[in-house]
Amino acid sequence: MRKRNTTKASGANDALFGGACLVAIIALGLCSRPAEAQEKAGPDIAFNAAAASDYVFRGVSQTESDPAISAGVDVTQGLFYAGAWAGNVSFAGDADTDAEIDLYAGVRPEFGGFDWDFGVVSYFYAGQPDGADYDYVELKAATSRAVGPVTLGAAIYWSPDFFGASEDEATYAEINGAISPADKWTISAAVGRQWVSSDFDYTTWNLGTAYQLTDHLALDVRYFDTDEHDFGDAYDSRAVVSLKAVF
């Protein structure tokens, strides 16, 4: 469960700083000219499905360490994309709910030698308790660049009214990287920081490897951790095994 803390004093300023960074990145994208791409006659449609030993979101278990299944669809037309994703969730105690449903859309231009992603993500929770107000929306700005076999990236997300009943502004920022040391193998890692205006802040990181079993099927083994185990069991370190399909 993406909970909130009331013990720290610096979260609001950090969240405002993160929001300002988001605005700056989006402004850079809008003021720069995207690279021209050849348009196809119709959109590309891709489906995905996964089974995992746990569903971890920003270092936090969303299924009380239980297995998770999910499925989604992505539609791409030129620079534009949209998609939907759904998976089971389970929060502790009376916070329990049935499923998370995400809807998202955006643009992916290329300029300045970087790949960019500007979008919006809406999170909905089916079967949430009365008055829980879990649903929320985030703006997203991300960039990445391949340097030989290595891909480096960064992303920032901002929400004016984050997960939960109180109206908390929140920012999440991440840096990440991936390398393919051999055919069909990918090693990747990320470090992120979640800020919430109610001061429930924490840092998270993950490291893992993926092996491409077939053209459509991959196996991923990943270690997750946070710096705030005192927030609850969901924030503890854990290893997750995932089988992912794209077709």
Side-chain angles (χ1 to χ4, degrees):
M1 179 179 177
R2 297 165 222 160
K3 299 162 65 178
R4 297 175 166 78
N5 185 27
T6 57
T7 60
K8 298 184 179 177
S10 63
N13 289 334
D14 289 336
L16 290 174
F17 173 76
C21 290
L22 175 62
V23 172
I25 292 176
I26 293 177
L28 174 62
L30 294 177
C31 294
S32 301
R33 184 177 179 180
E36 293 184 0
Q38 183 176 359
E39 296 289 342
K40 294 186 177 181
D44 290 329
I45 302 176
F47 298 90
N48 63 81
S53 59
D54 195 353
Y55 168 26
V56 179
F57 180 81
R58 298 177 185 172
V60 182
S61 174
Q62 307 294 287
T63 55
E64 298 185 275
S65 302
D66 289 336
I69 57 173
S70 62
V73 60
D74 293 283
V75 179
T76 304
Q77 177 68 58
L79 300 178
F80 300 92
Y81 70 89
W85 178 94
N88 64 294
V89 294
S90 178
F91 302 141
D94 59 4
D96 199 16
T97 188
D98 298 326
E100 175 185 331
I101 303 168
D102 302 343
L103 302 177
Y104 49 89
V107 294
R108 294 191 179 110
E110 299 178 15
F111 56 87
F114 290 84
D115 295 326
W116 298 83
D117 183 345
F118 304 107
V120 59
V121 186
S122 295
Y123 303 84
F124 303 96
Y125 292 85
Q128 62 181 279
D130 292 340
D133 193 22
Y134 289 166
D135 302 345
Y136 67 103
V137 176
E138 286 185 322
L139 298 178
K140 171 189 178 182
T143 187
S144 64
R145 182 169 185 171
V147 182
V150 178
T151 299
L152 301 175
I156 188 166
Y157 296 77
W158 175 78
S159 174
D161 184 6
F162 197 50
F163 179 92
S166 58
E167 295 182 357
D168 289 335
E169 181 181 332
T171 302
Y172 177 76
E174 179 184 281
I175 56 174
N176 52 68
I179 185 172
S180 297
D183 186 38
K184 298 184 179 182
W185 287 94
T186 302
I187 299 172
S188 58
V191 178
R193 178 73 176 174
Q194 179 74 69
W195 295 279
V196 183
S197 60
S198 60
D199 303 327
F200 202 79
D201 308 338
Y202 67 94
T203 298
T204 179
W205 56 91
N206 70 78
L207 172 66
T209 184
Y211 180 73
Q212 197 71 34
L213 299 169
T214 70
D215 290 342
H216 302 284
L217 195 63
L219 180 67
D220 186 278
V221 180
R222 191 160 303 275
Y223 174 83
F224 295 88
D225 203 358
T226 76
D227 65 342
E228 292 290 359
H229 294 181
D230 292 342
F231 286 176
D233 294 342
Y235 292 79
D236 287 347
S237 60
R238 66 195 66 241
V240 177
V241 179
S242 304
L243 187 63
K244 304 177 181 180
V246 177
F247 48 94

